[in-house]
């Protein structure tokens, strides 16, 4: 039996702000919130979906945990986001920037196939080209 990818954990200074930012960015919803941790999951996941989906096929959520230190170096692991081919990729990048993301240079070069952004606390993520799957 395979293990289930349960969550992505993001260390941060302000768990509520980071969780809200990522929920807005991904159109997910907040399902748990304290001063020390917050959890977001896809908006379409409800109890019926959980009950009808095999354990190992349920996608991960995101857990934001409070830490005292600021981020100081490039992430060793990051999230790749991709718009659907029916979406305007540049408009999605502009939307993320309007939410507070900023473009960052991690050495990707001008010919990179992705746009590298950072969330409000500096965690890098990529926006790939549009995809159908």
């Amino acid at each position: 039996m395979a293990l289930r990818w349960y969550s992505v954990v993001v260390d941060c200074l302000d768990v509520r702000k980071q969780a809200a930012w990522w929920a807005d960015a991904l159109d997910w919803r907040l399902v748990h919130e304290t001063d020390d941790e917050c959890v977001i999951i896809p908006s379409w996941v409800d109890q019926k979906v959980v009950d009808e989906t095999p354990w190992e096929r349920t996608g991960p959520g995101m857990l934001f945990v409070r830490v005292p230190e600021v981020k100081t170096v490039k992430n060793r692991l990051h999230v790749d986001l991709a718009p659907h081919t029916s979406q305007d990729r540049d408009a999605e990048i502009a939307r993320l920037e309007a939410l507070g993301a900023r473009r960052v240079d991690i050495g990707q070069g001008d010919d990179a196939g992705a746009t590298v952004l950072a969330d409000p606390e500096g965690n890098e993520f990529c926006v790939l080209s549009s995809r159908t799957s």
Side-chain angles (χ1 to χ4, degrees):
M1 175 183 245
L3 294 173
R4 174 180 163 198
W5 180 3
Y6 195 77
S7 64
V8 173
V9 179
V10 180
D11 291 351
C12 47
L13 297 172
D14 187 335
V15 297
R16 293 176 196 268
K17 183 177 175 184
Q18 281 291 94
W21 189 89
W22 278 97
D24 285 345
L26 297 171
D27 191 23
W28 285 17
R29 64 187 169 97
L30 184 69
V31 294
H32 174 76
E33 182 178 20
T34 70
D35 290 338
D36 294 323
E37 65 180 32
C38 293
V39 177
I40 63 171
I41 63 171
S43 297
W44 53 267
V45 174
D46 59 19
Q47 194 57 50
K48 182 180 181 200
V49 170
V50 171
D51 292 344
E52 294 176 353
T53 305
W55 165 259
E56 68 279 2
R57 292 187 180 181
T58 303
M62 292 181 79
L63 168 64
F64 300 87
V65 296
R66 188 164 52 106
V67 297
E69 68 276 355
V70 298
K71 181 182 172 296
T72 58
V73 297
K74 176 182 158 299
N75 292 359
R76 302 256 338 241
L77 177 71
H78 69 263
V79 175
D80 281 348
L81 305 177
H84 188 264
T85 54
S86 64
Q87 294 172 278
D88 180 336
R89 178 180 180 273
D90 292 336
E92 285 300 310
I93 291 170
R95 182 181 69 83
L96 294 169
E97 290 175 319
L99 288 173
R102 60 185 170 77
R103 293 177 190 246
V104 294
D105 182 353
I106 56 169
Q108 67 267 26
D110 293 335
D111 60 343
T115 299
V116 183
L117 300 172
D119 71 15
E121 287 200 10
N123 298 298
E124 298 93 6
F125 63 96
C126 292
V127 178
L128 306 175
S129 60
S130 298
R131 315 279 164 110
T132 57
S133 59

